[in-house]
Amino acid sequence: ITERRHTEYALRESEEKYRTLVNRANDAICVLQDGLIKMFNPRLPEFWGGSEEEIMGRPFTDFVHPEALPELISNYKRRIAGESFPSLYETTMMRKDGSRSFVELNAGVIMFEERPTDLIIARDINDRKRIQEALRRSEELYRTLSEASNDLIFVIGRNDHVEYVNSYTAAMVNKPINQIIGSLRTSFFSPEIALSQKTALDSVFATGSS
């Protein structure tokens, strides 16, 4: 009986640590079985924007954006069938109010109530997506302005090779852009100008100031 009590105590302690870890996680964690949500931590209702009662027992497809649904259903079936493929990928969920929410899913199969079950960890990446979109728009604007310019514009890397030129530059040196990128900067200027540029470029790389 003493040995059994020790085993039961160790099991309770282990389960308590597990519950604490899951409930305090910043990521949404849920367990799917037969396509239904069987268990989840408090982060999921917060993330979705509803109550626990509205989530428990519902199909996981209710929380996926329609555009992402075919891929997510396919991945779920393949995991449960035992196929091997990357467990980490991005997708689009849908909040209770119908708005999109971008998440990074980490999924894997576990045993729950003696049956194969899908364990899903969903990380909120909306801030990351906003930053990526802002960067994309900034780069698009930069390229638009650059391509509209009648100045010769070069982007030079620390290795002194050309990383970008605008179309006006390509026309002036009479070479296709893909033949210019990757070339040494010095191949486009006289030795005196190239040396003066090198001094200026070294200063920029060292100080960050033009």
Side-chain angles (χ1 to χ4, degrees):
I1 294 175
T2 301
E3 183 178 349
R4 186 177 66 194
R5 289 286 177 84
H6 281 306
T7 302
E8 291 173 349
Y9 176 78
L11 180 60
R12 284 199 304 271
E13 188 178 50
S14 175
E15 289 177 345
E16 186 177 338
K17 288 178 180 177
Y18 159 76
R19 282 194 299 269
T20 301
L21 176 64
V22 170
N23 289 335
R24 291 176 64 88
N26 288 325
D27 297 331
I29 301 174
C30 67
V31 170
L32 307 178
Q33 198 173 70
D34 300 324
L36 304 177
I37 297 178
K38 293 290 187 177
M39 191 176 73
F40 53 89
N41 68 343
R43 186 72 176 97
L44 183 59
E46 295 174 8
F47 189 73
W48 180 61
S51 66
E52 295 182 2
E53 292 76 17
E54 293 174 290
I55 295 175
M56 183 63 76
R58 285 178 61 177
F60 77 91
T61 51
D62 289 353
F63 304 90
V64 181
H65 193 275
E67 293 178 1
L69 204 50
E71 180 186 20
L72 225 64
I73 291 175
S74 173
N75 290 347
Y76 173 74
K77 290 180 177 178
R78 289 173 63 190
R79 268 195 306 276
I80 294 299
E83 291 188 39
S84 178
F85 66 102
S87 61
L88 193 67
Y89 58 95
E90 294 182 6
T91 190
T92 310
M93 307 302 288
M94 187 167 61
R95 293 192 179 96
K96 182 180 178 179
D97 62 8
S99 61
R100 294 171 183 258
S101 184
F102 298 102
V103 297
E104 181 183 76
L105 294 186
N106 193 337
V109 176
I110 63 170
M111 294 302 294
F112 180 72
E113 297 178 346
E114 301 181 355
R115 294 175 57 199
T117 304
D118 207 14
L119 174 66
I120 305 289
I121 301 173
R123 174 161 295 179
D124 185 341
I125 58 170
N126 287 286
D127 286 344
R128 183 199 305 176
K129 285 292 185 180
R130 279 191 286 270
I131 292 171
Q132 289 174 346
E133 177 61 17
L135 179 61
R136 185 194 65 78
R137 289 180 180 178
S138 175
E139 290 177 345
E140 185 177 312
L141 175 61
Y142 152 76
R143 288 187 178 276
T144 300
L145 293 173
S146 177
E147 290 301 314
S149 174
N150 287 331
D151 294 320
L152 279 70
I153 299 177
F154 290 80
V155 174
I156 308 298
R158 288 179 179 271
N159 60 0
D160 213 24
H161 285 69
V162 179
E163 295 184 354
Y164 166 82
V165 293
N166 63 347
S167 299
Y168 187 77
T169 299
M172 289 295 289
V173 301
N174 197 28
K175 278 188 176 183
I177 290 176
N178 62 353
Q179 290 184 15
I180 299 173
I181 293 175
S183 302
L184 274 170
R185 171 189 56 84
T186 53
S187 61
F188 299 98
F189 303 94
S190 66
E192 296 81 7
I193 292 176
L195 182 61
S196 174
Q197 288 176 340
K198 184 65 167 62
T199 301
L201 286 169
D202 286 344
S203 175
V204 169
F205 287 133
T207 66
S209 301
S210 61

